[in-house]
Amino acid sequence: MMNALDANPVLAGPAGPFGVFFVVVLVLVLTGFVVVIVGIIRNSRRIRQSGHDPLTLQSDLAVRALNSDLLSPRRSTEERLAELQRLHRDGTITAEELAAARARILGGDPGR
């Protein structure tokens, strides 16, 4: 005697190699989703613990990079010498350090 599941192959469930393959792929995809979600949650927690907003972190880093000395426009020789004079006047650098820095600037060293 045939029951309702045997009569309808769609209701009988996956059978054979295709069914096993389908289940394995489904499990792998679901596992991937879980791993990605757990990673996102862990990264967000770590970012929040360091005092940053995970939703604006990329923009914050871009602004910091753009405002850094590395990406800032090159200062003129006059500006660099004036900065050295200010540092020496404030006592931040010694006369010897001032002379060495002036020599580097006037000698054409590409430093900022």
Side-chain angles (χ1 to χ4, degrees):
M1 176 178 225
M2 206 180 256
N3 65 23
L5 291 178
D6 293 333
N8 188 345
V10 173
L11 298 176
F18 177 74
V20 172
F21 177 74
F22 179 77
V23 170
V24 169
V25 169
L26 182 64
V27 168
L28 289 175
V29 168
L30 291 176
T31 302
F33 278 129
V34 169
V35 168
V36 168
I37 290 171
V38 168
I40 290 170
I41 291 171
R42 289 186 64 190
N43 285 335
S44 293
R45 282 185 185 160
R46 173 83 43 99
I47 291 168
R48 283 189 198 282
Q49 287 172 352
S50 68
H52 299 285
D53 182 2
L55 299 177
T56 62
L57 183 63
Q58 186 174 2
S59 299
D60 294 342
L61 291 174
V63 168
R64 283 187 186 176
L66 291 172
N67 292 336
S68 71
D69 287 340
L70 184 62
L71 297 178
S72 67
R74 187 176 173 93
R75 295 184 300 166
S76 70
T77 301
E78 293 81 16
E79 290 172 328
R80 294 169 65 199
L81 290 173
E83 176 69 15
L84 283 177
Q85 287 297 338
R86 185 190 64 76
L87 291 171
H88 178 64
R89 185 178 59 246
D90 294 345
T92 306
I93 61 174
T94 64
E96 295 80 23
E97 293 169 327
L98 172 65
R102 283 180 58 85
R104 275 195 313 270
I105 291 171
L106 295 174
D109 184 20
R112 294 184 184 261

